[in-house]
């Protein structure tokens, strides 16, 4: 991967203006598409198949007057008279509301059939109205017209306030907090780079990535139901990871420029090294977010996929647009002092003075402190994080209702007014539905149901009990004593459902369901809570596998996963402190305390997993690199930590600032997630990764890097620190010294094809335009070499280069340039099918020499001319021969070629314990 990224970086730098222009065109095009389609977001959170949702769907079909979103008009007498004195005004208002397009029903609250709810002192009344559909599907302007009608009767004698489900907004509030968060990130970047110009670059690339992804989501919303929180979550994640990923690559580029590296070469190397780590980091976040599908909750899956797409786009922007911008700025990104020093020395940076003392960094001092007595450090971290996690016991989950809106908004004011004047239960009525088609006395059954429900605990009153027009469906509107998120209301829902089977048997009814917005919210919360454990197992299991692949260790993944769980516990504990206990509410703009949004835990777990693995990779991979090179476990911790800590500190602070900016938005749907992520990143980066991890590694010593051999062979190898780049650069230097070669092997060992054993080590090379005959009576050994040349076989060790492509990173590219002609094929016909373009990098593998000789002598007498033309164009032929020595077919082929010197031969055999085989001849 690193070799491909190296070439990608060079390409992006050379096409810099075109790449930037392409991204700008894409941004503008998606903006026009999003505006043209006019997509809207949904404020409903539902789970198909739950009892509450099934009941809502049933009402929409069989009792449409009660199937849509409901609204309230709270009317209060301000002149000291009873509310009945204003009956004419109120009935006239409800009649006008009933005439508004999109309103299904708006009965007078003074009707006997569906009377409104009066306050105890008879000074206020609640009038209900029902829309045809759910929030987001109302006819344009209908809600504004209703609000205008309500405002028109609001006077000194009669107060009128609108509330209810219809006021749930799908608009995402973005404000000054997000801007402040970005400005703080810019300040941190300016401090890190000690310059304003490079500090702006990650902000620009992150905004481009977020802009494109958000516009794409807006366009999709025209045809797909997407929750409104998706855009805010995607923007928050996109900004955070977009800035961080650009920081990782740009900081490596700046370090290389500071060391005197050429600008274009530095861009390629920065992408090959830090770019590899960015891809892995992005993939961990993406997999964790896409993994939300294991919950089986559609809206959560949509949110996860949309957020994952935003992260993926951030990675692509960092790998394409960022190197293009670095190419445009060129030398201006090199520190001024280094530029001046190079200008004084003919463009070359002089060697540093070895006698000049090097200043000890704070990172070095810190890692020495935390590893001095590692057991004590581990104990302090576990106790400290454990203390933060204690409030988890009080963390309650629910779906936000209108009581979580900002104070001063009509929705929140009406919600508070209803709770104060009538009771909290009127803000969350429950609907009990029952199929009564088999009964002979529908009205009597409804009355009996009403009486039974009234006798249950936590029921304040029955607001309405009636069959539908067809008398086949009964609806009982239950007002609970508690609010929509109170535990008593949840207990009532469960008690009603537990009683359903008895009522069905007693009254000969069927399909008794408890539904309504409150019941649906309880169902969603229960389903999300149940999904936490399988998702946690998925995430932790995934982290163990991924980190074992990267670090080739058993203990490092275990330690990383346990550290991740500590970070999650701290995030949940602090979230409970803020939203349950009310700590720091004022500075964080938190306007209500109580249950947090139900999908906060699972979303924080998914996102924090990816970010935690980022920091683990960036820190520990440097330590592993040092340990592999020196074998000194303690020194590798110090050197690796010192090299990586500054970038990780900056990245974590940027993440925290961006997440904290979204906390102050005041949107309760997002606030707990933002708090959880901000705290989780802070704890994970500074307490777990930069304190606990060095201590654990110091305690384990060299055992930290142990991995059983069988597991090492089973796990695929992942290059996240650009180890493959060293081979690319070495091959380039070799090519500059020896010239271009079509095939080069250096101590290459490869497995046999179809049998146990290996061939090699092989060392040698052939130039382009050569014909190589591979001789061997050993079919498995010969097949292995031919497969190597065609990119069909990955070497176990050593170097395999086909032109400028190296295995195993570029096996796909090698295969794309190779043409395989199997045994028994018409060689002449297959050679004619090879296109004439890019022959200079083509490798043609003919499995059997006899087929080539037969075609040349018996089928196509122009075949040799075709071979000469291919070789002259730079194509390379590798032909297999079953003879261990020179065959007649080989002699005939050599005599027929225009330039016999193009033909060379290699005898191969499988490796033995005593004789390492293989040398090109």
């Amino acid at each position: 991967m690193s070799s491909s990224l190296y070439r990608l970086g060079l390409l992006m730098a050379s096409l810099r203006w075109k790449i930037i222009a392409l991204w700008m065109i894409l941004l503008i095009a998606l903006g026009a598409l999003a505006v043209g389609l006019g997509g809207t977001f949904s404020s409903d959170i539902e789970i198909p198949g739950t009892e509450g949702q099934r009941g809502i769907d049933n009402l929409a079909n069989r009792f449409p007057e009660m199937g849509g979103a409901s609204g309230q008009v709270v009317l209060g007498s301000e002149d000291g008279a009873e509310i009945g004195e204003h009956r004419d005004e109120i009935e006239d208002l409800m009649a006008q509301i009933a005439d508004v397009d999109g309103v299904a029903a708006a009965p007078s609250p003074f009707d006997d059939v569906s009377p409104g709810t009066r306050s105890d002192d008879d000074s206020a009344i609640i009038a209900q109205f029902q829309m045809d559909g759910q929030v987001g599907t109302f006819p344009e302007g209908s809600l504004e017209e209703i609000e205008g009608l309500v405002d028109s009767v609001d006077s000194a004698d009669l107060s009128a306030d609108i509330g209810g489900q219809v006021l749930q907004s799908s608009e995402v509030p973005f404000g000054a907090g997000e801007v402040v968060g970005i400005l703080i990130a810019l300040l941190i970047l300016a401090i890190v780079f000690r310059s304003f110009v490079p500090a702006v670059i990650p902000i620009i690339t992150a905004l481009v990535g977020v802009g494109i992804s958000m516009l794409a989501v807006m366009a999709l919303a025209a045809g797909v139901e997407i929750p409104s929180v998706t855009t805010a979550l995607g923007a928050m994640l996109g900004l955070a990871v977009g800035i961080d990923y650009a920081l990782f690559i740009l900081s490596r580029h700046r370090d290389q420029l500071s060391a005197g590296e050429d600008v274009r070469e530095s861009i390629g190397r920065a992408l090959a090294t830090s770019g590899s780590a960015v891809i892995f980091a992005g993939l961990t976040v993406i997999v964790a977010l896409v993994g939300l599908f294991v919950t089986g909750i559609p809206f959560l899956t949509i949110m996860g996929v949309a957020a994952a797409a935003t992260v993926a786009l951030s990675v692509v922007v960092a790998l394409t647009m960022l190197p293009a911008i670095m190419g445009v700025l060129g030398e201006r990104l090199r520190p001024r002092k280094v530029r001046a020093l190079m200008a004084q020395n003919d463009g070359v940076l002089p060697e540093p003075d070895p006698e000049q003392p090097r200043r000890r960094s704070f990172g070095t001092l810190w890692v020495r402190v935390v590893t001095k007595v590692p057991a004590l450090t581990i104990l302090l971290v576990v106790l400290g994080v454990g203390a933060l996690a204690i409030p988890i016991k009080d963390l309650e989950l629910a779906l936000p209702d209108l009581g979580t809106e900002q104070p001063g908004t009509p929705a929140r004011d009406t919600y508070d007014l209803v709770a104060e004047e009538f009771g909290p239960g009127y803000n969350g009525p429950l609907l009990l539905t029952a199929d009564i088609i088999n009964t002979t006395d529908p009205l009597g059954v409804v009355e009996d149901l009403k009486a039974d429900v009234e006798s249950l605990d936590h029921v304040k009153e029955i607001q309405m009990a009636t069959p539908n027009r067809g008398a086949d469906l009964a609806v009982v509107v239950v007002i609970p004593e508690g609010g929509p998120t109170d535990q008593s209301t949840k207990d009532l829902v469960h008690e009603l459902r537990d009683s359903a089977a008895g009522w069905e048997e007693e009254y000969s009814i069927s399909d008794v369901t408890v539904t309504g917005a409150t019941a649906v919210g309880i169902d969603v919360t229960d389903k999300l809570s149940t999904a936490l454990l399988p998702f946690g197992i998925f995430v932790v299991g995934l982290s163990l596998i991924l980190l074992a692949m990267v670090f080739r260790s058993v203990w490092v993944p275990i330690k990383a996963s346990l550290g991740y769980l500590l970070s999650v516990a701290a995030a949940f504990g602090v979230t409970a402190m803020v939203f349950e206990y009310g700590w720091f509410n004022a500075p964080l703009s938190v306007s209500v305390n109580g249950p947090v949004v139900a999908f906060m835990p699972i979303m924080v777990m998914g996102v924090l997993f990816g970010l935690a693995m980022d920091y683990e990779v960036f820190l520990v991979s440097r330590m592993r690199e040092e340990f592999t090179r020196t074998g000194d476990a303690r020194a590798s911790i110090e050197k690796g930590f010192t090299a990586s800590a500054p970038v990780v500190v900056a990245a974590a602070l940027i993440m925290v600032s961006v997440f904290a900016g979204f906390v102050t938005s005041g949107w309760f749907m997002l606030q707990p997630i933002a708090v959880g992520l901000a705290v989780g990143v802070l704890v994970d980066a500074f307490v777990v990764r930069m304190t606990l991890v060095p201590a654990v590694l110091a305690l384990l010593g060299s055992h930290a890097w142990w991995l059983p051999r069988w597991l090492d062979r089973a796990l695929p190898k992942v290059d996240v620190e650009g180890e493959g780049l060293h081979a690319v650069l070495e091959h380039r230097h070799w090519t500059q010294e020896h010239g271009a070669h079509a095939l080069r092997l250096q101590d290459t060992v490869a497995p046999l094809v179809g049998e146990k054993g290996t061939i090699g080590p092989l060392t040698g090379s052939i130039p382009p335009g050569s014909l190589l005959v591979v001789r061997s009576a050993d079919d498995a050994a010969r097949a292995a070499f031919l497969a190597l040349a065609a990119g069909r076989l990955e070497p176990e060790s050593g170097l395999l280069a086909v032109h400028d492509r190296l295995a195993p990173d570029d096996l796909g590219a090698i295969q794309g340039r190779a043409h395989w002609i199997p045994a028994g094929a018409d060689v002449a016909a297959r050679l004619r099918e090879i296109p004439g373009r890019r022959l200079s990098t083509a490798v043609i593998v003919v499995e059997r020499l006899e087929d080539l000789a037969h075609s040349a002598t018996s089928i196509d007498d122009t075949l040799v001319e075709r071979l000469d033309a291919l070789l002259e164009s730079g194509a390379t032929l590798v032909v297999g021969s079953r003879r261990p020595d020179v065959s007649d077919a080989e002699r005939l082929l050599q005599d027929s070629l225009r330039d016999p010197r193009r033909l060379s031969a290699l005898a191969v055999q499988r490796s033995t314990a005593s004789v390492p085989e293989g040398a090109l001849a």
Side-chain angles (χ1 to χ4, degrees):
M1 181 170 63
S2 56
S3 59
S4 300
L5 289 173
Y6 174 72
R7 280 185 287 272
L8 177 65
L10 298 180
L11 180 64
M12 294 300 100
S14 61
L15 300 176
R16 47 193 177 273
W17 286 113
K18 293 180 181 178
I19 298 301
I20 295 173
L22 283 174
W23 280 110
M24 293 300 102
I25 291 171
L26 180 60
L27 183 65
I28 295 169
L30 281 173
L33 184 65
V35 172
L37 293 176
T40 57
F41 297 101
S42 170
S43 61
D44 289 336
I45 296 177
E46 59 186 44
I47 301 179
T50 59
E51 180 175 325
Q53 189 59 47
R54 193 172 73 251
I56 290 287
D57 297 338
N58 196 25
L59 280 172
N61 293 325
R62 300 172 65 183
F63 206 154
E65 295 88 349
M66 300 191 70
S70 62
Q72 298 172 324
V73 181
V74 182
L75 301 132
S77 176
E78 299 292 325
D79 55 4
E82 292 184 356
I83 192 64
E85 299 294 328
H86 298 279
R87 176 170 181 165
D88 292 341
E89 294 175 73
I90 294 172
E91 289 186 333
D92 182 57
L93 169 64
M94 298 311 294
Q96 294 180 64
I97 291 176
D99 291 335
V100 174
D101 188 21
V103 175
S108 166
F110 299 101
D111 287 351
D112 294 333
V113 177
S114 54
T117 301
R118 298 190 182 217
S119 61
D120 292 339
D121 60 0
D122 209 25
S123 64
I125 195 168
I126 299 177
Q128 304 280 348
F129 64 92
Q130 205 82 19
M131 304 298 289
D132 280 326
Q134 298 300 321
V135 177
T137 64
F138 307 151
E140 186 176 354
S142 60
L143 188 56
E144 289 77 7
E145 186 177 350
I146 295 172
E147 290 174 334
L149 291 172
V150 173
D151 289 341
S152 68
V153 301
D154 191 17
S155 63
D157 296 331
L158 181 67
S159 64
D161 297 276
I162 185 172
Q165 189 182 356
V166 294
L167 293 186
Q168 285 184 336
S169 175
S170 59
E171 295 182 1
V172 181
F174 288 99
E178 292 84 349
V179 176
V180 171
I182 294 175
L183 291 177
I184 293 174
L186 179 61
L187 177 62
I188 295 169
L189 289 168
I191 294 172
V192 170
F193 293 123
R194 299 181 182 179
S195 174
F196 182 75
V197 173
V200 176
I201 298 175
I203 304 294
I204 293 174
T205 55
L207 288 174
V208 169
V210 168
I212 290 174
S213 60
M214 291 302 98
L215 290 171
V217 170
M218 288 174 63
L220 285 173
V224 179
E225 188 170 305
I226 298 176
S228 56
V229 71
T230 302
T231 54
L233 182 66
M236 182 172 66
L237 281 182
L239 283 173
V241 302
I243 294 172
D244 271 12
Y245 293 165
L247 167 63
F248 291 137
I249 296 174
L250 186 57
S251 62
R252 180 66 68 99
H253 178 55
R254 286 266 295 181
D255 289 344
Q256 292 167 171
L257 291 180
S258 299
E261 185 70 73
D262 173 72
V263 170
R264 189 168 179 271
E265 180 70 15
S266 176
I267 293 173
R269 293 192 181 193
L271 227 62
T273 51
S274 294
S276 298
V278 162
I279 289 177
F280 177 82
L283 282 176
T284 57
V285 181
I286 291 167
V287 170
L289 289 170
V290 173
L292 290 171
F293 79 90
V294 303
T295 63
I297 301 173
F299 82 86
L300 202 59
T301 301
I302 291 175
M303 288 170 59
V305 169
T310 302
V311 174
L313 190 63
S314 299
V315 173
V316 175
V317 170
L319 297 179
T320 55
M321 186 177 182
L322 175 62
I325 294 175
M326 293 192 299
V328 169
L329 294 176
E331 287 289 339
R332 279 173 286 183
L333 291 178
R334 197 186 301 274
R336 292 181 181 179
K337 291 182 179 179
V338 178
R339 261 186 286 168
L341 200 57
M342 291 178 67
Q344 296 170 7
N345 292 271
D346 298 325
V348 178
L349 188 66
E351 293 291 331
D353 185 359
E355 297 183 359
Q356 184 176 359
R358 300 185 67 180
R359 193 173 66 178
R360 187 176 298 169
S361 68
F362 177 77
T364 303
L365 296 174
W366 177 257
V367 75
R368 288 180 180 177
V369 169
V370 300
T371 58
K372 188 172 184 179
V373 186
L376 177 61
T377 301
I378 295 170
L379 180 63
L380 291 175
V381 168
V382 172
L383 290 177
V385 176
L388 286 178
I390 290 174
I392 290 178
K393 62 183 177 60
D394 298 319
L395 184 64
E396 295 184 26
L397 305 177
L399 285 187
D401 54 26
L402 295 178
T404 62
E405 296 288 333
Q406 284 286 75
T409 59
R412 175 65 181 274
D413 290 347
T414 303
Y415 183 96
D416 293 341
L417 178 62
V418 169
E420 181 181 347
E421 294 288 336
F422 302 92
Y426 287 95
N427 282 312
L430 303 173
L431 304 180
L432 180 76
T433 69
D435 192 317
I436 57 174
I437 194 170
N438 293 324
T439 64
T440 57
D441 182 16
L443 290 177
V445 166
V446 170
E447 285 300 316
D448 291 339
L449 266 179
K450 174 184 176 183
D452 287 347
V453 173
E454 277 182 320
S455 66
L456 297 178
D457 293 336
H458 310 303
V459 173
K460 182 177 179 63
E461 73 170 24
I462 302 300
Q463 190 175 44
M464 182 178 69
T466 181
N468 64 349
R469 293 179 182 178
D472 61 357
L473 183 73
V475 176
V476 179
V477 181
V478 184
I479 304 299
E481 291 177 346
T485 61
D486 287 354
Q487 184 60 45
S488 63
T489 303
K490 297 177 185 178
D491 294 340
L492 176 58
V493 169
H494 295 313
E495 187 173 2
L496 287 168
R497 288 173 175 171
D498 291 340
S499 304
W503 290 333
E504 289 175 356
E505 183 177 353
E506 181 180 354
Y507 300 122
S508 299
I509 58 178
S510 61
D511 196 22
V512 175
T513 63
V514 181
T515 186
T518 299
V520 168
I522 292 171
D523 287 344
V524 172
T525 302
D526 290 344
K527 183 83 180 227
L528 284 166
S529 300
T530 305
L532 271 177
L533 181 59
F535 182 71
I537 293 172
F538 169 80
V539 166
V540 173
L542 182 65
S543 69
L544 290 172
I545 296 171
L546 290 176
L547 292 175
M549 288 165 48
V550 173
F551 296 118
R552 322 309 293 180
S553 165
V554 169
W555 295 113
V556 169
I558 293 174
K559 171 265 307 170
S561 298
L562 293 176
Y564 158 73
L565 293 176
L566 286 175
S567 302
V568 169
F572 291 173
V574 174
T575 302
M577 293 178 193
V578 174
F579 294 95
E580 301 291 349
Y581 302 164
W583 298 0
F584 311 112
N585 277 190
L588 295 177
S589 301
V590 175
S591 59
V592 64
N593 293 124
V596 301
V597 60
F599 52 82
M600 183 281 293
I602 204 164
M603 193 59 70
V604 169
M605 285 175 65
V607 175
L608 190 58
F609 163 74
L611 302 181
M613 296 307 104
D614 292 356
Y615 301 137
E616 181 77 15
V617 168
F618 282 110
L619 273 173
V620 181
S621 58
R622 286 288 186 96
M623 299 177 189
R624 176 179 174 271
E625 184 180 349
E626 288 292 332
F627 177 78
T628 304
R629 186 174 62 85
T630 65
D632 188 337
R634 181 60 70 101
S636 66
I637 296 172
E638 182 176 318
K639 290 182 180 179
F641 184 93
T642 303
S644 303
V647 177
V648 172
V649 168
L653 290 176
I654 289 169
M655 286 271 188
V656 172
S657 65
V658 172
F659 292 148
F662 280 83
V663 174
T664 59
S665 67
W667 194 31
F668 196 80
M669 184 82 81
L670 188 66
Q671 279 184 314
I673 299 176
V675 168
L677 288 176
V679 174
V681 167
L682 198 65
V683 171
D684 192 84
F686 293 100
V687 179
V688 173
R689 306 303 156 189
M690 300 182 70
T691 305
L692 181 66
V693 166
V696 172
L697 292 177
L699 190 65
L700 292 173
S702 59
H703 298 292
W705 311 107
W706 172 77
L707 184 70
R709 290 186 179 180
W710 65 267
L711 186 57
D712 186 40
R713 290 191 297 268
L715 290 172
K717 291 180 172 57
V718 180
D719 178 11
V720 297
E721 272 299 312
E723 290 100 336
L725 177 62
H726 301 299
V728 172
L729 298 178
E730 186 277 332
H731 181 63
R732 190 177 68 174
H733 293 150
W734 186 92
T735 302
Q736 291 172 350
E737 184 177 347
H738 298 90
H741 281 68
L743 181 65
R744 179 190 169 210
L745 300 101
Q746 183 72 42
D747 298 324
T748 308
V749 177
L752 295 176
V753 174
E755 296 183 21
K756 291 183 178 181
T758 62
I759 59 169
L762 299 164
T763 297
S765 59
I766 58 173
S770 298
L771 192 156
L772 175 66
V773 177
V774 181
R775 304 173 186 160
S776 182
D778 187 333
D779 291 343
R782 185 180 67 255
F785 188 92
L786 296 179
L788 275 176
R792 295 187 172 193
L793 186 65
E794 181 178 336
E796 291 182 353
S797 62
L799 180 141
L800 168 65
V802 181
H803 291 284
D804 61 339
R805 303 293 183 176
L806 275 69
D809 281 3
D810 299 324
L811 277 180
I814 295 173
Q815 292 170 9
R817 296 175 175 183
H819 303 272
W820 184 274
I821 302 178
D826 184 347
V827 177
R830 295 293 295 270
L831 289 177
R832 284 194 297 270
E833 293 172 359
I834 296 175
R837 65 183 187 279
R838 298 180 180 175
L839 285 174
S840 60
T841 58
V843 174
I844 304 167
V845 179
V846 181
E847 194 170 359
R848 199 163 64 187
L849 175 62
E850 290 76 15
D851 293 336
L852 180 61
H854 176 70
S855 293
T857 56
S858 304
I859 298 177
D860 188 349
D861 55 5
T862 65
L863 177 59
V864 175
E865 294 180 11
R866 174 64 175 159
L867 286 177
D868 280 324
L870 289 170
L871 295 173
E872 189 68 31
S873 299
T876 302
L877 272 79
V878 181
V879 184
S881 174
R882 301 182 68 178
R883 292 285 299 275
D885 52 10
V886 181
S887 64
D888 293 339
E890 186 180 330
R891 289 193 184 94
L892 175 63
L893 184 61
Q894 187 169 26
D895 293 341
S896 302
L897 289 175
R898 187 182 305 161
D899 185 356
R901 293 172 299 177
R902 291 185 181 275
L903 188 146
S904 57
L906 166 69
V908 295
Q909 66 184 62
R910 65 183 64 197
S911 305
T912 63
S914 58
V915 183
E917 297 294 337
L920 290 177

